[in-house]
Amino acid sequence: MPGSISRLERFAVVGSTNDVVRGWLADGTPEVCVAVALEQTAGRGREGRSWTAPAGAALLLSIGFRPTWLRPEHLWRLAATVSVAMAEAGELAAALPSGTIMLKWPNDLVLEATDGVRKLAGVLGETHGIGTDDPRAVIGIGVNGDWPAADFPAELAGSMTSLRELAGRPVDHDGLLDGFLGRLERAVAVLREGQFDAPGWSARQVTTDRDIDLIRSDGSRVTVRATGVDIESGALLVGDTRIVVGEIEHVRVASAIASARVAV
């Protein structure tokens, strides 16, 4: 276990690993603390969506930080750093070429397949006390690891994948976790020094120079051309427009232009 990890516990079943780690931080546990579970009964994603997986099919974990060393406007870099570290660890675990696992702004790890973009993992960041002397951040991630396609939920089978399917063999979650924690330790050390792997994060963005559908909370949708991501704010770039988390409920890579591109 990396020396920078103050606490790491494994659970058979929890409601939510994010809730476990949030409780640890509230009780004074120092960073970086990690909770890992075989199964969650109340896992969640963005916008209050539920997140479920059969016991043992996914690597489910949350990481707790006390980011007094990070400017509040850069807190998004914690989730970005976690995402890149897991993408690299997943490629190693499944023997995939570097750059195979991509990121779909703002919070998914994905693979680009012949039939479209398929989700491999989801990331959820939650914060408390930002702007005070006791800021806390919890980054949760659920990775479809040793999950055979035959067991994918029917309603999601066409839009998801797993490391097991990509590797063509079972995937060891312990090895995946060790690879992730080692990379996370190094990346957080760099982040503490005021540096961020902006090129690595930007290069993995699947939306860059692609037509994307932006779905607002009211269900309305526009199709636009994404031009990149902003390394200062973490925003999605559409030309000169910066779109931040919270303005858009969902982003989909458009398989075809469904409507005229409009300004957002």
Side-chain angles (χ1 to χ4, degrees), residues 137-178:
V138 180
I139 310 299
I141 183 165
V143 185
N144 302 333
D146 198 37
W147 194 340
D151 295 338
F152 289 174
E155 67 275 16
L156 299 175
S159 62
M160 65 179 285
T161 189
S162 68
L163 290 176
R164 180 183 180 122
E165 291 303 310
L166 296 168
R169 55 170 171 76
V171 169
D172 175 26
H173 283 175
D174 288 338
L176 176 61
L177 177 63
D178 287 345

Side-chain angles (χ1 to χ4, degrees), residues 9-238:
E9 290 192 32
R10 301 168 187 263
F11 302 88
V13 182
V14 297
S16 162
T17 55
N18 266 32
D19 290 345
V20 171
V21 171
R22 186 174 64 250
W24 289 351
L25 292 174
D27 290 341
T29 300
E31 65 173 24
V32 174
C33 49
V34 182
V36 185
L38 291 175
E39 184 179 7
Q40 293 184 126
T41 59
R44 57 185 179 272
R46 289 185 66 235
E47 306 293 335
R49 300 184 186 95
S50 62
W51 201 101
T52 60
L59 177 63
L60 309 170
L61 69 152
S62 295
I63 309 100
F65 299 92
R66 296 184 179 279
T68 54
W69 41 272
L70 193 60
R71 288 160 48 189
E73 62 267 29
H74 285 165
L75 283 174
W76 64 270
R77 292 181 175 178
L78 289 174
T81 297
V82 166
S83 296
V84 173
M86 186 59 80
E88 293 174 349
E91 288 166 351
L92 180 63
L96 301 171
S98 177
T100 300
I101 297 176
M102 304 190 77
L103 309 178
K104 183 170 74 67
W105 188 92
N107 68 332
D108 290 341
L109 277 66
V110 300
L111 270 292
E112 190 159 16
T114 55
D115 57 351
V117 173
R118 289 178 172 250
K119 184 172 179 176
L120 177 68
V123 179
L124 175 66
E126 299 176 320
T127 59
H128 178 80
I130 302 307
T132 73
D133 59 0
D134 185 25
R136 308 168 207 162
V138 180
I139 310 299
I141 183 165
V143 185
N144 302 333
D146 198 37
W147 194 340
D151 295 338
F152 289 174
E155 67 275 16
L156 299 175
S159 62
M160 65 179 285
T161 189
S162 68
L163 290 176
R164 180 183 180 122
E165 291 303 310
L166 296 168
R169 55 170 171 76
V171 169
D172 175 26
H173 283 175
D174 288 338
L176 176 61
L177 177 63
D178 287 345
F180 165 72
L181 291 177
R183 285 163 175 78
L184 182 68
E185 178 186 28
R186 294 189 291 273
V188 169
V190 170
L191 200 58
R192 281 177 170 274
E193 296 172 356
Q195 302 175 49
F196 171 62
D197 181 19
W201 176 69
S202 299
R204 288 184 183 267
Q205 299 295 325
V206 74
T207 52
T208 299
D209 295 327
R210 300 283 292 272
D211 290 311
I212 59 172
D213 293 332
L214 302 180
I215 296 91
R216 300 188 179 97
S217 56
D218 62 3
S220 62
R221 173 163 61 180
V222 293
T223 300
V224 296
R225 173 59 64 100
T227 53
V229 283
D230 180 32
I231 62 173
E232 184 61 29
S233 66
L236 179 70
L237 295 178
V238 176

